[in-house]
Amino acid sequence: MRLSFRVTLLLLVCLLPAIGVCLSVISRMQDTQETAVSGLLLRQAELANANLDGIVQASQQLGAAVAQLPDLRDSPAACQNRLATIGRTLSAYRFLAVVDASGAIRCTSSAAVAAEGPRPEWLTGLSATPGGSVGRYAQLKQVEGAGFLPLTSALPERELLVMGLDLRWLSRHFADARALSAAPASNTGLIITDRDGTILARAPEGEQWAGQRLPFNVQPANGDRKANVTTIGGPDGSRLIVAAVPRSTPPVGLTAVATLPTVDLNAGSSQVIWDGLLLVGAVVAAVLLLAILYTSRLLDRPLAGLSDVLGRWSAGDLDARADTTRLPASFRDLGAALNAVVIRLTRDQVEQRRRADRAAAELGDRSRDLSLANNRLQVEIAERDKSEAALHHGQKLQAIGQLSGGIAHDFNNLLATILGSLELMERRVSAGTSDPTNTDRLRTLIERAIGAVQRGAQLTSGLLAFSRREPMPARPTDLNALIADLATLATSTLGRRIRLTTELTPSLWPAMVDPSQIEAAILNLCLNARDAMPDGGMLTIRTGNVVIDPSSSAPDLSAGDYVSVTVADTGIGMSAAVQRRAFDPFFTTKGDAGSGLGLSQVQSAARQAGGTVQLRSVEGEGTTITLLLPRGTDQAAPAKPAARAVETDALACLVLVVDDDHAVRQVAVEMLHDLGYQVVEAPGGAEALTLMTELRPDIILVDYAMPGMNGLQLTRALRDRGVTLPIAMVTGYAELDDSQAGKSPLDGLLRKPFTIQELQALLSTLRARGERNTNVVRLNLAR
């Protein structure tokens, strides 16, 4: 069998799978095209449905805007004029009408609607639901071809705004949207129907279809449960691809259906198949023809001559040579190469023997070098391990150094608490008075110093827990003691117009909570109560023991023992609507002054602890909020005695103290009170900025290290707002020195721990500087 025939047959066999693949690809292309067209058709229906939802939502927004107009509640003539004015600016609506609570049209923008009487048939089924409703196809009797779709929006006093959507505008709208979208074919149809299957609009040719029923053969595709794409038969025997959005998809009451005749799809697919088959046939024929010509003329004869030479070489005749002059150009290099191979064969055999001897010698040398290299590698590995160990040790030292800075700052805060408490104790002892109140204050200062020492132990315990990456669990907490400590802070924050009293149950159970979260929740409630009493009032915090039994009405609590914390004010109270949304995140009645997260965070803290929040409010009388927290299983520390009521006097100078550490801040507040200053306090930069919008202190003392916004950032923010009063930094950090304070917008620096004399000297300097600034301002104003 000649080589050319074998090559041709081989090529044909190789091409058969390729031909089959091509045919399969063409078939799959047709299926893929049909699937893609179905997807595009469904997308057309979904986009149309989304467009419909946007139109309905726009009508609801229009209704909300119209509801704010006072003219609607005036005379029918004023109402009609207002609706006519609005209707002239809205081409999408044929008319606007207001329906009263009895279901009769009170006023309308169209005389044709008024001519149909107070209760036309198309009002049947329309309801004043909060989200509005979509009616059915309707037509004005006085105007030919005046088809419309009634859309409703609720108005105050159970009235209803009816907007007649113009179906001619709707058809033009979807025709424009269809022209701008990527339609799968030019004959794609888009149909909009109401809940009864009546056609409202169609693109193209929309106006002549309005009011007709959806064709029977399309209705099975218009399902209620899910989006559907199917192929159905038409009345004339043609096939249609129909894509429909389910009726349950918003807007409820309207449906979008997209259609495409399969003849448009098959025409393009058939042309693609025939073109593909012709191309495959032409390629196969060309490949076979070239294979026959090439193998017969350029392969058979040259390969036969080379095969003869190779046979002689295999028989041992190494003197035979291929005649390269008789070979085609494409085989001459091959013949020359084969001749060169024979010439070099003997020489290579000799060379190979010589190389084998040299390789054996080199192998011994390489083995010795490899052994030495292996030894060096072991040494380098050992050195690398030492380097890695040193690096890890350095990283540990760096971590310890970073932690030590924070630990030093916390301990400086503790020392400031202890030192300030002891100095205040010394001043009160030196006074030599036998006033029982002075004895109580001494006991409070002693407890505060002891508490600072205990906080130092808690700090080391927390550090160990942090190193083990263990979470800090809730623990049994004496809420009486927590509220007693919180009363001083709350009294300073609430101001002189609000009187704070505490009613603490002596035998209060311990609560299983995170103290910091509950303290923040109670403070949040106190601040809300302050805002609810702009003219002053009474704020009461009381505690108690509560037993929830299975028969009680507490749906969000399981039966058991709970500790209650009640915060009651005599403020303006809340309406029923506000009470329903009081705990919603971001809901606020304070406008831009509130974040809307206060009560939401209080509820979150109570629920995380396993409790709940109860709200009771009466407008004009006040609000009472109760936290029910689970009882702790272990015995908590004994409750501290309730703090006595704080009496406030008019002070000459007001000082704002900003420090995130409660104990340090309280010591500074006590020192300032002893020095005769009026004090207001803030636990952070954000709270300080908020307070600055409500009052104007004479001096500001800020801590440097605070979460969120440090002292320097707070100072710069105040200066950017135009605050020129003296500001001093109180810090325990060593990184902030006097030179850096001089370059910053600060007027003084006080390091923790500090004595009361140092504080008094700083305040004297700041007051003198503040008086100079005031005189300069007055001089500038006089000029």
Side-chain angles (χ1 to χ4, degrees):
M1 184 180 294
R2 294 178 58 85
L3 178 62
S4 59
F5 179 76
R6 292 197 298 268
V7 172
T8 303
L9 183 61
L10 178 61
L11 287 175
L12 183 59
V13 173
C14 294
L15 286 175
L16 286 177
I19 296 173
V21 169
C22 291
L23 295 177
S24 177
V25 168
I26 292 173
S27 177
R28 291 183 181 180
M29 285 176 59
Q30 185 179 12
D31 296 339
T32 303
Q33 182 183 9
E34 184 172 352
T35 302
V37 168
S38 299
L40 287 175
L41 203 61
L42 180 58
R43 182 59 178 164
Q44 287 283 317
E46 292 174 345
L47 288 175
N49 193 77
N51 201 336
L52 280 175
D53 189 50
I55 293 173
V56 174
Q57 293 299 324
S59 68
Q60 295 305 310
Q61 295 174 4
L62 173 61
V66 170
Q68 305 299 322
L69 299 176
D71 298 353
L72 297 183
R73 286 174 285 278
D74 293 341
S75 63
C79 175
Q80 180 176 346
N81 291 335
R82 172 60 70 178
L83 292 181
T85 301
I86 297 173
R88 283 192 294 270
T89 63
L90 301 174
S91 62
Y93 300 98
R94 185 171 288 277
F95 67 87
L96 301 177
V98 175
V99 179
D100 59 20
S102 66
I105 296 178
R106 185 164 60 85
C107 60
T108 177
S109 64
S110 172
V113 175
E116 294 198 2
R119 290 182 174 84
E121 295 180 358
W122 44 265
L123 281 180
T124 305
L126 299 181
S127 60
T129 58
S133 63
V134 179
R136 294 174 170 82
Y137 170 84
Q139 188 172 4
L140 295 176
K141 299 178 181 179
Q142 302 295 327
V143 182
E144 183 178 357
F148 66 93
L149 176 67
L151 304 175
T152 68
S153 178
L155 295 178
E157 300 180 1
R158 298 180 60 190
E159 289 190 334
L160 189 67
L161 176 65
V162 179
M163 295 155 281
L165 184 64
D166 191 350
L167 298 186
R168 291 178 301 179
W169 176 89
L170 186 64
S171 295
R172 292 193 300 269
H173 175 75
F174 278 103
D176 295 340
R178 176 179 173 275
L180 294 176
S181 64
S186 59
N187 288 342
T188 301
L190 184 62
I191 302 174
I192 308 300
T193 68
D194 63 6
R195 67 182 75 246
D196 296 332
T198 302
I199 297 176
L200 304 175
R202 185 183 187 275
E205 303 174 359
E207 298 182 8
Q208 63 189 29
W209 284 76
Q212 300 183 26
R213 296 286 292 180
L214 190 69
F216 74 96
N217 57 322
V218 181
Q219 291 183 9
N222 188 14
D224 291 330
R225 297 184 179 180
K226 62 179 181 179
N228 187 21
V229 179
T230 185
T231 302
I232 62 176
D236 57 354
S238 63
R239 305 292 292 176
L240 288 175
I241 299 178
V242 179
V245 178
R247 294 171 180 165
S248 58
T249 302
V252 178
L254 296 177
T255 305
V257 180
T259 63
L260 175 66
T262 57
V263 64
D264 294 341
L265 177 64
N266 294 334
S269 301
S270 300
Q271 186 63 38
V272 170
I273 293 173
W274 281 111
D275 292 344
L277 290 176
L278 290 176
L279 179 61
V280 169
V283 169
V284 170
V287 169
L288 292 178
L289 181 59
L290 290 176
I292 293 172
L293 294 176
Y294 182 81
T295 54
S296 62
R297 295 185 180 183
L298 301 178
L299 291 179
D300 284 342
R301 289 191 295 269
L303 289 178
L306 292 177
S307 178
D308 180 62
V309 174
L310 291 174
R312 293 170 61 185
W313 288 344
S314 63
D317 184 8
L318 299 180
D319 295 331
R321 297 292 183 270
D323 188 359
T324 56
T325 59
R326 300 180 60 182
L327 292 175
S330 58
F331 283 91
R332 288 173 187 171
D333 292 338
L334 178 59
L338 292 176
N339 291 336
V341 169
V342 175
I343 294 172
R344 295 177 57 183
L345 184 58
T346 304
R347 184 177 59 189
D348 289 344
Q349 291 177 351
V350 175
E351 184 66 22
Q352 287 176 1
R353 294 191 189 98
R354 188 164 48 248
R355 289 179 180 176
D357 295 339
R358 188 167 57 248
E362 291 177 354
L363 181 60
D365 297 337
R366 297 277 180 89
S367 298
R368 289 190 296 272
D369 294 340
L370 182 60
S371 178
L372 294 175
N374 185 45
N375 293 336
R376 288 195 299 270
L377 180 60
Q378 295 297 329
V379 173
E380 291 176 358
I381 291 175
E383 292 295 333
R384 185 192 63 184
D385 293 340
K386 292 180 181 178
S387 300
E388 289 181 353
L391 177 61
H392 293 162
H393 182 64
Q395 291 173 344
K396 290 181 180 179
L397 291 178
Q398 181 182 6
I400 292 173
Q402 293 173 351
L403 290 175
S404 65
I407 296 172
H409 170 257
D410 288 342
F411 271 100
N412 280 336
N413 285 340
L414 299 176
L415 291 175
T417 304
I418 296 171
L419 179 60
S421 299
L422 292 177
E423 284 202 336
L424 290 171
M425 291 164 54
E426 181 182 10
R427 289 172 64 89
R428 285 164 175 70
V429 172
S430 299
T433 177
S434 59
D435 186 3
T437 304
N438 190 48
T439 303
D440 294 339
R441 298 186 69 181
L442 284 174
R443 183 180 295 107
T444 301
L445 292 172
I446 294 172
E447 292 176 354
R448 186 173 294 147
I450 295 174
V453 175
Q454 293 173 345
R455 285 179 59 207
Q458 293 174 357
L459 177 63
T460 57
S461 175
L463 179 62
L464 292 175
F466 174 76
S467 65
R468 295 190 298 268
R469 297 184 180 181
E470 295 177 355
M472 301 294 287
R475 61 177 182 271
T477 302
D478 185 354
L479 294 183
N480 281 348
L482 185 146
I483 294 172
D485 290 339
L486 189 62
T488 302
L489 172 63
T491 301
S492 302
T493 305
L494 296 175
R496 292 175 292 173
R497 292 181 298 179
I498 297 177
R499 180 174 180 83
L500 172 64
T501 60
T502 56
E503 301 175 3
L504 308 179
T505 300
S507 57
L508 187 69
W509 296 331
M512 200 68 177
V513 295
D514 181 352
S516 61
Q517 286 191 357
I518 299 305
E519 186 177 34
I522 297 175
L523 183 58
N524 236 329
L525 295 177
C526 292
L527 295 178
N528 283 347
R530 177 200 64 187
D531 297 338
M533 296 183 289
D535 298 329
M538 177 74 70
L539 176 62
T540 304
I541 304 177
R542 66 176 65 93
T543 60
N545 299 326
V546 178
V547 178
I548 302 295
D549 53 49
S551 61
S552 63
S553 58
D556 52 350
L557 280 181
S558 58
D561 297 338
Y562 293 87
V563 181
S564 68
V565 178
T566 301
V567 179
D569 64 65
T570 58
I572 59 177
M574 304 181 190
S575 65
V578 173
Q579 291 184 51
R580 285 193 295 269
R581 301 189 59 191
F583 295 104
D584 292 349
F586 306 108
F587 173 75
T588 179
T589 58
K590 303 176 185 177
D592 295 336
S595 64
L597 295 175
L599 290 180
S600 175
Q601 292 175 345
V602 170
Q603 185 183 56
S604 175
R607 288 182 175 178
Q608 288 180 7
T612 189
V613 181
Q614 296 178 349
L615 170 65
R616 182 176 62 84
S617 182
V618 178
E619 286 189 273
E621 297 182 8
T623 300
T624 300
I625 297 179
T626 301
L627 302 177
L628 291 178
L629 305 171
R631 178 181 181 179
T633 55
D634 299 329
Q635 183 64 33
K640 295 182 180 180
R644 63 185 181 87
V646 179
E647 298 180 1
T648 58
D649 298 323
L651 302 178
C653 185
L654 178 62
V655 180
L656 171 60
V657 179
V658 185
D659 197 319
D660 63 304
D661 190 286
H662 177 72
V664 176
R665 188 172 68 250
Q666 290 304 308
V667 169
V669 169
E670 289 287 342
M671 288 182 175
L672 291 168
H673 281 158
D674 262 40
L675 293 174
Y677 290 89
Q678 187 178 359
V679 185
V680 65
E681 54 185 294
E687 292 82 355
L689 292 175
T690 302
L691 286 176
M692 288 298 295
T693 63
E694 304 173 0
L695 51 85
R696 182 174 179 82
D698 301 295
I699 297 172
I700 300 179
L701 301 179
V702 299
D703 184 29
Y704 174 68
M706 295 186 296
M709 178 185 295
N710 62 34
L712 284 178
Q713 293 171 340
L714 173 59
T715 303
R716 293 191 180 97
L718 291 172
R719 296 304 189 205
D720 292 339
R721 295 188 179 189
V723 177
T724 59
L725 55 88
I727 303 176
M729 183 72 68
V730 182
T731 179
Y733 268 87
E735 289 81 359
L736 185 67
D737 56 21
D738 294 334
S739 63
Q740 291 176 326
K743 299 176 183 178
S744 67
L746 295 170
D747 299 298
L749 178 66
L750 184 62
R751 295 192 173 279
K752 299 176 184 177
F754 54 85
T755 65
I756 197 167
Q757 291 82 6
E758 294 172 342
L759 177 61
Q760 186 174 15
L762 173 66
L763 293 173
S764 299
T765 303
L766 295 178
R767 290 186 65 183
R769 185 170 300 174
E771 291 174 358
R772 288 198 300 271
N773 293 339
T774 302
N775 292 334
V776 170
V777 172
R778 290 174 179 173
L779 181 59
N780 292 334
L781 292 176
R783 290 178 181 177

